[in-house]
């Protein structure tokens, strides 16, 4: 739960990978943000959706670093993509997996 935040598709993918003996749970967590890891296709898909959209990249960095998104339009676009969530005035990446992956793969 800490890594995936209850994301239905990611939880299903993780459980399938472990239950089918494709990955041991320690491998699942150790390789979570690797491009060839269990979530690689899903994460790359989101990365490609942000590619060449500097306003979205900047917004995602702002969420990761400051837990805020100054531009409401950008927030709604990121939320629509399933990347962020809001609790009151605080904006978070939807799950820790997204935080870790985008912190490493985006260039702001």
């Amino acid at each position: 739960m800490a890594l995936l935040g209850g994301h239905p598709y990611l939880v299903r993918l993780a459980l399938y990978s472990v239950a089918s003996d494709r990955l041991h749970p320690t491998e699942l967590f150790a390789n979570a943000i690797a491009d060839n890891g269990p979530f690689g296709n899903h994460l790359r898909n989101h990365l490609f959706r942000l590619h060449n959209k500097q306003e979205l990249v900047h917004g995602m960095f702002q969420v990761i670093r400051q837990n805020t998104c100054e531009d409401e339009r950008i927030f709604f676009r990121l939320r629509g993509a399933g990347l962020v969530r809001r609790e009151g005035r605080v904006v978070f990446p939807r799950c820790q997996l997204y935080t870790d992956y985008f912190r490493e793969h985006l260039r702001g």
Side-chain angles (χ1 to χ4, degrees):
M1 278 306 282
L3 179 66
L4 304 177
H7 188 295
Y9 172 73
L10 296 176
V11 169
R12 180 176 174 267
L13 185 60
L15 290 174
Y16 176 77
S17 295
V18 171
S20 65
D21 289 328
R22 291 177 55 203
L23 287 174
H24 189 272
T26 55
E27 293 174 299
L28 179 85
F29 293 113
N31 298 316
I33 65 168
D35 283 332
N36 63 347
F39 309 110
N41 288 336
H42 176 78
L43 294 168
R44 276 191 311 279
N45 181 48
H46 280 301
L47 184 63
F48 291 143
R49 292 173 72 188
L50 296 178
H51 185 70
N52 289 333
K53 295 180 179 78
Q54 286 304 309
E55 69 277 6
L56 296 180
V57 170
H58 176 73
M60 192 67 185
F61 265 133
Q62 194 174 39
V63 170
I64 290 169
R65 291 179 181 154
Q66 303 168 357
N67 292 111
T68 187
C69 187
E70 293 173 1
D71 188 330
E72 281 293 299
R73 293 176 303 121
I74 299 300
F75 166 76
F76 284 113
R77 288 176 66 189
L78 291 170
R79 189 181 74 174
L83 297 175
V84 300
R85 62 188 168 83
R86 181 183 285 165
E87 292 179 18
R89 295 183 154 282
V90 183
V91 181
F92 300 98
R94 182 165 180 189
C95 60
Q96 187 63 43
L97 179 70
Y98 289 167
T99 301
D100 297 342
Y101 182 79
F102 289 117
R103 181 179 290 133
E104 184 172 314
H105 287 82
L106 288 179
R107 304 288 179 241

